[in-house]
Amino acid sequence: MGKKTKKKKLPMAYQPIGFVLGWAGGALAGMAFQKTWKVLRHEDDAPDALDPDRGWGEVLLAAAVQGAIFAVVRSAVDRTGAKAIERSTGVWPTKEKGGRD
């Protein structure tokens, strides 16, 4: 009975941890994107979709690179957090096997 209760409560307890990990991962991904853009284009600022001085190609390239970096960092942070919870509690932190997406 103790294990069933633990499994039901753990996902709720993981939510604040997941939130903090998500926030930290987002900040890390943002920094990684800025550095990557600087290497790719030798510019400090990536184009914004509403920037009238940038072309479609530049804007879409920046969005694709940013999206890829954010997805990789998010997956790495989520997986690391879940594995840490599993190691410390013996229980995977989500109810179902599928992920967010």
Side-chain angles (χ1 to χ4, degrees):
M1 185 169 167
K3 251 191 171 174
K4 282 188 177 183
T5 305
K6 189 176 187 181
K7 281 188 178 182
K8 286 182 181 177
K9 290 186 178 183
L10 187 59
M12 186 71 125
Y14 180 71
Q15 286 178 349
I17 295 167
F19 176 77
V20 170
L21 288 173
W23 182 84
L28 181 65
M31 291 187 308
F33 172 66
Q34 289 291 37
K35 288 183 186 242
T36 302
W37 189 257
K38 195 169 190 171
V39 167
L40 289 175
R41 300 293 295 208
H42 307 291
E43 299 174 350
D44 288 332
D45 295 323
D48 182 72
L50 300 179
D51 188 344
D53 299 326
R54 304 290 187 121
W56 277 95
E58 247 184 323
V59 169
L60 296 180
L61 174 64
V65 170
Q66 184 177 33
I69 290 172
F70 270 82
V72 168
V73 170
R74 178 177 136 184
S75 292
V77 168
D78 282 352
R79 185 70 177 187
T80 301
K83 293 296 273 182
I85 292 293
E86 182 185 39
R87 271 193 304 275
S88 64
T89 65
V91 178
W92 194 255
T94 59
K95 293 177 188 174
E96 65 280 341
K97 282 196 172 203
R100 274 191 234 175
D101 302 328

